[in-house]
């Protein structure tokens, strides 16, 4: 596959919150249909990276290209200028994101949550939007919960509604930001199953997670980040079985149950 | 003893009707104005935000009675002849607007930022986010203080009598001057104000419950 065909291409991305640099020159590409899993300790910049790809954060230097289009900033007479909101929204239409804290709209039913994008962004007619949303809820196994409000759903169910809501925009890419981290352990599986099915259908996905077995199983490639930089990357089997960096070795030991590893 | 009240009741009720009119206009226009300003106060224009902040802080810092006097004497000073009702109405609308703006502004800002992130991530534009996500959730938060605000505004219409606008309180003072039965008359006035305000409070409770269902 050539570089030009990459779905996401990130070059030397730098992002700071004040004096604190959280992304220190991150570069990688995601090919069409590829599932990239990003691992790393808290504070390593994984979530910020995803939020940058969806233009929910600004950044100070570097380029993000989505489907061959450089996004977020333009050159205005030699000065780097941020895109106006309306243009950013155009990109977000094509890039779905699912958040750790679900962020469902509490005043809307599950079905209405999923209809939000189709109705108010794609502007398709209500009956079609309803049918599309019902189909997607069916797909994530919640066909019978369509008329329930988020507060009456379990965490796992809410997160599946959130996935359906993002899918309703028919995005080119799906970003998952620690989507199972807020769930009870026994609800994690139902969400991962939905994600795995998406991957099998050929969706391009970038997944930030702490579920190592899932990463090994579903990921085409693993990227390990620490302190705002990519430390190591490669196929899951290789990266997880024989990590080359000391940092990843330690990280994996902790996840393999050695909670006292330092 | 109660007779004084009964004989003068029709006159009081005529005053109550004027009060009701004044209240409906002040509360409706003031709340609409304030809601608009409150929304703009969360917008992107820095100049607009600053202007609204100044408006809110100035109005919050002065008594409505002073605003009313200002309205009543300022218009003529500017060469505009206005009747007392217009002066009172405009002054109270501006006053209610300031308090409403602050309530709406803070209610919008108190909606969880994750809600905006989620809406943005779908590609929703600012107007749609406001209409579909922020305002419905802000309404829930804003209803109790807005009703408080409205009730205060209804009762503050009684200040109109001070600048000679005839309404319930003015009518009551006229009757008292004639009959000296201040206790009975003002007891009646109290009851009438309560009857005007109570349904508003009830309506708000009902609406609050209805909104709570969908959460």
């Amino acid at each position: 596959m050539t570089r030009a065909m990459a779905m996401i291409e990130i070059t030397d991305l730098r992002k700071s919150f004040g004096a604190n640099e959280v992304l220190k020159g991150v570069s990688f590409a995601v090919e069409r249909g590829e599932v990239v899993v990003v691992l790393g300790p808290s504070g390593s910049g994984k979530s910020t990276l995803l939020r940058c790809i969806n233009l929910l954060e600004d950044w100070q230097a570097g380029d993000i290209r989505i489907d061959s289009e450089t996004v977020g900033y333009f050159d205005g007479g030699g000065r780097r200028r941020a895109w106006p909101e309306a243009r950013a929204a155009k990109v977000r239409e094509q890039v779905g994101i699912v958040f750790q804290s679900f962020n469902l709209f509490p005043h809307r039913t599950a079905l209405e949550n999923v209809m939000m994008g189709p109705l108010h962004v794609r502007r398709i007619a209500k009956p079609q939007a309803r049918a599309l949303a019902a189909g997607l809820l069916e797909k994530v196994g919640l066909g019978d919960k369509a008329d329930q409000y988020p507060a009456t759903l379990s965490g796992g169910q809410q997160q599946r509604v959130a996935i359906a809501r993002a899918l309703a925009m028919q995005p080119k890419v799906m970003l998952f930001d620690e989507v199972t981290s807020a769930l009870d352990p026994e609800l994690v599986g139902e969400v991962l199953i939905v994600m795995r099915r998406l991957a099998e259908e050929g969706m391009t996905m970038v997944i930030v997670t702490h579920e190592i077995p899932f990463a090994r199983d579903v990921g085409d490639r693993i990227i390990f980040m620490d302190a705002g930089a990519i430390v190591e990357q490669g196929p899951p089997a290789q990266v997880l079985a024989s990590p080359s960096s000391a940092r990843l070795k330690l990280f994996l030991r902790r996840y393999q149950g050695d909670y006292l590893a330092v | 003893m109660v007779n004084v009240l009964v004989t003068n009741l029709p006159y009081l009720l005529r005053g109550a009707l004027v009060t009701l009119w004044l209240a409906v206009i002040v509360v409706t226009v003031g709340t609409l104005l304030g809601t608009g300003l409150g929304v703009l106060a969360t917008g992107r224009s820095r100049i607009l935000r600053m202007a609204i902040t100044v408006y809110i802080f100035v109005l919050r810092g002065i008594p409505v009675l002073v605003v009313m006097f200002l309205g009543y004497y300022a218009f003529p000073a500017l060469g505009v002849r206005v009747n007392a009702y217009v002066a009172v109405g405009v002054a109270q609308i501006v006053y209610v607007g300031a308090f409403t703006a602050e309530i709406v502004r803070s209610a919008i800002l108190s909606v969880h930022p994750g809600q905006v992130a989620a809406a943005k991530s779908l590609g929703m534009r600012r107007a749609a986010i406001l209409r579909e996500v922020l305002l419905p959730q802000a309404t829930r938060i804003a209803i109790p203080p807005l009703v408080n605000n409205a009730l205060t505004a209804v009762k503050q219409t009684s200040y109109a009598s001070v600048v000679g606008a005839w309404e319930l309180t003015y009518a009551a003072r006229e009757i008292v001057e004639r009959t000296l039965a201040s206790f009975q008359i003002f007891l009646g006035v109290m009851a009438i104000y309560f009857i005007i305000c109570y349904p508003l409070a009830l309506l708000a409770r009902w609406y609050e419950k209805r909104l709570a269902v969908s959460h």
Side-chain angles (χ1 to χ4, degrees):
Chain A
M1 226 176 268
T2 64
R3 296 284 282 172
M5 287 199 45
M7 183 61 93
I8 304 174
E9 203 177 336
I10 295 171
T11 320
D12 200 27
L13 186 67
R14 286 171 191 276
K15 156 84 182 167
S16 310
F17 290 107
N20 179 23
E21 194 173 42
V22 289
L23 294 174
K24 300 170 181 169
V26 171
S27 303
F28 69 96
V30 181
E31 306 299 331
R32 262 162 232 280
E34 192 181 18
V35 177
V36 170
V37 177
V38 183
L39 298 179
S42 324
S44 57
K46 308 170 306 257
S47 293
T48 307
L49 175 67
L50 287 195
R51 292 174 65 90
C52 285
I53 298 174
N54 207 11
L55 306 185
L56 288 173
E57 297 282 353
D58 54 9
W59 63 89
Q60 280 72 41
D63 289 322
I64 297 179
R65 286 155 69 90
I66 293 172
D67 208 4
S68 304
E69 183 192 14
T70 303
V71 300
Y73 293 88
F74 68 100
D75 181 30
R79 272 188 62 198
R80 180 173 178 271
R81 288 175 175 279
W83 275 10
E85 267 298 298
R87 196 165 171 204
K90 269 272 170 235
V91 170
R92 296 193 195 110
E93 288 177 26
Q94 304 164 27
V95 181
I97 186 165
V98 185
F99 304 93
Q100 177 176 355
S101 50
F102 325 141
N103 294 343
L104 289 180
F105 305 123
H107 59 300
R108 294 280 196 268
T109 63
L111 189 76
E112 289 165 344
N113 263 277
V114 183
M115 287 166 70
M116 197 66 103
L119 274 186
H120 301 293
V121 180
R122 293 171 62 200
R123 296 182 185 285
I124 68 180
K126 210 164 190 173
Q128 278 91 307
R130 190 176 293 276
L132 171 72
L136 284 167
L137 282 180
E138 202 68 55
K139 179 176 172 157
V140 298
L142 294 171
D144 56 333
K145 306 284 186 197
D147 296 323
Q148 293 200 19
Y149 285 95
T152 67
L153 300 174
S154 73
Q157 291 168 337
Q158 288 191 53
Q159 198 56 297
R160 285 185 282 152
V161 173
I163 294 174
R165 178 176 68 179
L167 288 176
M169 289 303 295
Q170 301 181 340
K172 294 174 179 170
V173 188
M174 283 285 281
L175 311 173
F176 294 86
D177 186 8
E178 290 196 33
V179 297
T180 58
S181 298
L183 299 178
D184 287 346
E186 53 184 9
L187 300 178
V188 168
E190 62 189 64
V191 174
L192 294 183
I193 287 169
V194 168
M195 289 164 67
R196 183 191 172 133
R197 199 177 322 135
L198 264 183
E200 286 163 0
E201 286 169 9
M203 175 65 79
T204 308
M205 296 160 75
V206 182
I207 303 169
V208 170
T209 186
H210 291 302
E211 301 289 334
I212 309 272
F214 174 78
R216 180 186 296 123
D217 206 21
V218 176
D220 295 315
R221 182 154 48 106
I222 283 180
I223 290 177
F224 177 68
M225 282 180 74
D226 187 34
I230 294 177
V231 176
E232 145 164 38
Q233 59 176 308
Q238 176 203 318
V239 170
L240 294 176
S242 46
S244 53
S245 65
R247 190 67 191 83
L248 179 54
K249 273 180 197 146
L250 175 63
F251 181 81
L252 290 175
R253 263 180 67 199
R254 289 214 185 106
Y255 273 90
Q256 277 147 10
D258 185 359
Y259 62 91
L260 292 176
V262 283
Chain B
M1 204 177 109
V2 180
N3 267 349
V4 192
L5 182 56
V6 173
T7 26
N8 288 293
L9 196 57
Y11 193 67
L12 277 184
L13 287 179
R14 286 226 309 278
L17 206 62
V18 177
T19 288
L20 198 61
W21 264 112
L22 200 56
V24 166
I25 291 169
V26 165
V27 169
T28 311
V29 181
T31 303
L32 285 177
L33 169 82
T35 304
L37 291 177
V39 169
L40 289 176
T42 65
R44 264 174 300 174
S45 161
R46 182 193 294 242
I47 300 164
L48 221 50
R49 279 204 313 260
M50 267 164 48
I52 295 166
T53 306
V54 169
Y55 164 69
I56 291 172
F57 273 78
V58 168
L59 267 291
R60 280 207 304 190
I62 43 181
V64 68
L65 201 58
V66 175
V67 182
M68 243 175 48
F69 283 146
L70 215 61
Y72 189 60
Y73 296 114
F75 286 120
L78 294 171
V80 188
R81 276 183 166 278
V82 290
N83 70 31
Y85 290 108
V86 175
V88 165
V90 169
Q92 300 222 355
I93 283 168
V94 168
Y95 196 76
V96 171
F99 280 81
T100 306
E102 179 59 9
I103 292 169
V104 170
R105 186 193 70 84
S106 58
I108 289 175
L109 291 181
S110 71
V111 175
H112 194 277
Q115 292 288 307
V116 176
K120 272 185 170 179
S121 80
L122 294 173
M124 289 173 77
R125 310 306 200 263
R126 173 153 172 89
I129 295 174
L130 200 60
R131 194 182 61 236
E132 304 295 332
V133 178
L134 286 176
L135 284 182
Q137 294 186 58
T139 302
R140 219 174 97 89
I141 300 164
I143 287 272
L146 278 181
V147 170
N148 250 337
N149 202 30
L151 292 174
T152 306
V154 171
K155 289 173 290 182
Q156 278 174 354
T157 59
S158 62
Y159 291 166
S161 62
V162 179
V163 294
W166 188 83
E167 39 67 80
L168 179 55
T169 304
Y170 197 108
R173 279 167 43 195
E174 281 178 331
I175 299 166
V176 170
E177 269 170 38
R178 250 188 310 109
T179 63
L180 299 178
S182 52
F183 181 69
Q184 292 93 319
I185 296 301
F186 278 113
L187 211 62
V189 167
M190 199 177 85
I192 294 173
Y193 273 115
F194 180 79
I195 290 167
I196 294 175
C197 290
Y198 188 60
L200 194 58
L202 276 187
L203 186 75
R205 272 288 152 81
W206 170 81
Y207 191 60
E208 226 178 281
K209 277 203 186 113
R210 217 193 64 157
L211 286 180
V213 172
S214 59
H215 264 265

